[in-house]
Amino acid sequence: MNMRTTARKAVGVVAMASVVALALAGCARGSGGGGDSTAAASPGITDTTVTIGITTPLSGATAGPGTCTVAGVTAYFGEKNDKDGGVKFGDGKTRKVKIDALDDGYDPQKAKANYDQLKDKVFLMGIGLGTPTNRAWREAAIADKVPQVLVETGDPIFSNKEESPWQLGFVPTYLNEGEAFGKLLAASGTPHKVAILSQNDDYGEGYVEGFKKGIEGASNITITKELTYEATDTTVDAQLTELASTKADVFFNAMSITPLVITALQKAQQLNWKPSWFLPSNTSSPSAILAPGKATAFPGVYTVAFSKSASSPATAGDADMKQFLSDMKQYANYPDTPAFPHCVWSYISGATLEQAFGKMTKPTRADFMTALRSISDFKAPLMLDGTVVNTTEDGQPAVSTVVVQKYNGKGYDTVSSFG
């Protein structure tokens, strides 16, 4: 069912604890007409190159998905650079893409320091993972007029043009991921008791708010108990024990920390509490999370998605997936099938940037933002049917459509009903 939404395996390509610099031989494709070639170029762009800056966790608990944010876009532009010799911009020039990626370890202070280090050397920044880390330098980017785009956070502030004129989110917002599941559950028509555990920040609050919006007015849904945890916590065993005592048949788990999701799945089984689960799109990897968590013990594990899964058997023969996996091996030094969706997401981000570059007629950050916000109904490689990139609607991220999916023991199947 289609829903409107506002919203790691470490890679050899990047492994330094504090700084990683990835220089691609790659290109960025543009289109569009001649434009004013006399406009003064912004930092990070020449007649032959353009440089993208990324701050993202390449170490620590979120290193797996964080590394993917670099690997996917590296693979995308690596292939373009190698095969096409560069991407043609709207001003008629062909430019190679370089990527400078720095490790922030999911630490907001490090993310801000990385931004300060990169801002005068790169043309644009973005793609990196994390709500607190991207928020840490949002205001500085606005003051400096540096694009902070296609960030992998569902925080709606990044897609509000008035509040964030130099920003654009990429993934669906947390609020409407939660709303999509709430609507699915409410539409079941059968009684359900729901226990909620959420991260004590904007991430968790957004998911819970969305879920409650989705079940609003539904007499068949009862929330038995709500608890929170801190992103710095090393265990949620106490919360799981308390929630299990409610005997809820559905567990809404708005959690972003990979190891905690795995241990939560395991702890629930130890307690002999086996509800159906809802997991956010960024912590629902079949191979990295559900398999070690033995998720087949539960009657259903649900998530939402807008992109194909690299680890799903259903995509094995898909032409786009074959291209993606080949590019990951050849250009991102990522030989294994990605366990996290972030690799696919950043690959799609590369395709989206190519669309924007193609509309640029001036080598300026301002012209780039105008071009980026003019992409409509773009079906990028690896996107699921019913989902597109649309950057023209204020208040919405680049991707604002999802489908609900259910774990089948190996991957996910799209579903239109709960149960």
Side-chain angles (χ1 to χ4, degrees):
M1 113 186 195
N2 287 346
M3 303 266 180
R4 183 74 183 168
T5 159
T6 4
R8 291 188 209 210
K9 177 154 192 166
V11 206
V13 101
V14 284
M16 295 183 66
S18 58
V19 175
V20 175
L22 294 173
L24 296 177
C27 68
R29 166 158 293 173
S31 82
D36 181 7
S37 61
T38 64
S42 296
I45 189 169
T46 70
D47 284 349
T48 58
T49 64
V50 61
T51 304
I52 298 169
I54 302 175
T55 175
T56 199
L58 304 174
S59 62
T62 53
T67 301
C68 263
T69 65
V70 179
V73 72
T74 297
Y76 185 84
F77 284 118
E79 192 272 343
K80 295 293 178 182
N81 297 341
D82 185 31
K83 298 294 176 64
D84 298 340
V87 176
K88 190 176 181 181
F89 278 57
D91 60 4
K93 294 182 172 64
T94 297
R95 295 177 173 91
K96 292 183 177 180
V97 172
K98 296 181 179 180
I99 296 178
D100 285 337
L102 305 182
D103 178 23
D104 59 40
Y106 207 68
D107 181 327
Q109 289 185 326
K110 288 183 180 179
K112 175 57 167 60
N114 289 346
Y115 165 76
D116 290 336
Q117 182 177 338
L118 291 171
K119 65 180 181 181
D120 295 324
K121 301 190 298 182
V122 301
F123 180 64
L124 65 93
M125 289 191 62
I127 305 176
L129 168 72
T131 298
T133 43
N134 276 296
R135 272 187 172 258
W137 53 281
R138 184 185 68 89
E139 291 184 2
I142 294 170
D144 297 333
K145 297 183 178 179
V146 175
Q148 181 185 15
V149 298
L150 306 184
V151 288
E152 293 192 4
T153 165
D155 190 334
I157 196 171
F158 291 96
S159 301
N160 183 314
K161 191 174 180 180
E162 183 176 351
E163 289 187 280
S164 303
W166 288 89
Q167 280 75 22
L168 181 65
F170 177 66
V171 295
T173 65
Y174 302 138
L175 188 148
N176 282 318
E177 279 204 19
E179 183 180 4
F181 182 71
K183 286 182 176 180
L184 186 82
L185 190 61
S188 69
T190 54
H192 296 288
K193 295 193 297 182
V194 183
I196 297 175
L197 177 62
S198 62
Q199 195 162 294
N200 190 24
D201 58 13
D202 292 324
Y203 174 94
E205 290 171 6
Y207 274 110
V208 175
E209 180 184 351
F211 175 72
K212 289 181 177 179
K213 183 178 179 181
I215 64 170
E216 189 174 3
S219 59
N220 59 319
I221 308 301
T222 302
I223 296 176
T224 60
K225 187 177 285 289
E226 297 181 56
L227 297 176
T228 63
Y229 76 98
E230 302 299 325
T232 54
D233 288 348
T234 57
T235 179
V236 290
D237 283 2
Q239 291 96 322
L240 263 292
T241 300
E242 188 172 348
L243 292 170
S245 68
T246 70
K247 301 187 184 303
D249 66 299
V250 175
F251 181 32
F252 186 88
N253 187 22
M255 185 176 283
S256 74
I257 309 302
T258 300
L260 287 182
V261 180
I262 296 171
T263 57
L265 287 161
Q266 295 169 342
K267 182 62 177 178
Q269 292 171 68
Q270 292 172 12
L271 295 167
N272 199 31
W273 182 42
K274 297 178 180 179
S276 292
W277 285 56
F278 169 76
L279 287 173
S281 58
N282 64 329
T283 48
S284 58
S285 166
S287 58
I289 294 176
L290 301 189
K294 301 186 184 307
T296 53
F298 300 95
V301 176
Y302 296 82
T303 190
V304 294
F306 63 88
S307 63
K308 298 172 184 177
S309 171
S311 59
S312 172
T315 65
D318 184 89
D320 283 350
M321 187 58 68
K322 288 180 178 179
Q323 180 70 56
F324 165 73
L325 293 173
S326 174
D327 291 345
M328 289 288 287
K329 292 177 182 178
Q330 184 170 356
Y331 302 108
N333 192 25
Y334 203 115
D336 299 321
T337 300
F340 295 93
H342 306 70
C343 284
V344 172
W345 295 352
S346 63
Y347 192 87
I348 295 172
S349 290
T352 303
L353 287 175
E354 182 181 13
Q355 292 290 306
F357 291 156
K359 295 173 177 285
M360 286 176 56
T361 58
K362 301 175 185 177
T364 66
R365 289 166 168 170
D367 195 57
F368 165 75
M369 290 302 300
T370 299
L372 180 65
R373 289 201 176 101
S374 68
I375 300 169
S376 179
D377 296 326
F378 170 53
K379 183 67 176 294
L382 303 177
M383 296 192 77
L384 292 170
D385 289 342
T387 67
V388 294
V389 173
N390 181 5
T391 65
T392 63
E393 188 174 349
D394 187 26
Q396 300 284 353
V399 179
S400 60
T401 47
V402 295
V403 296
V404 180
Q405 297 191 312
K406 183 179 181 180
Y407 182 53
N408 61 20
K410 295 182 178 179
Y412 284 99
D413 297 318
T414 298
V415 296
S416 57
S417 61
F418 181 83

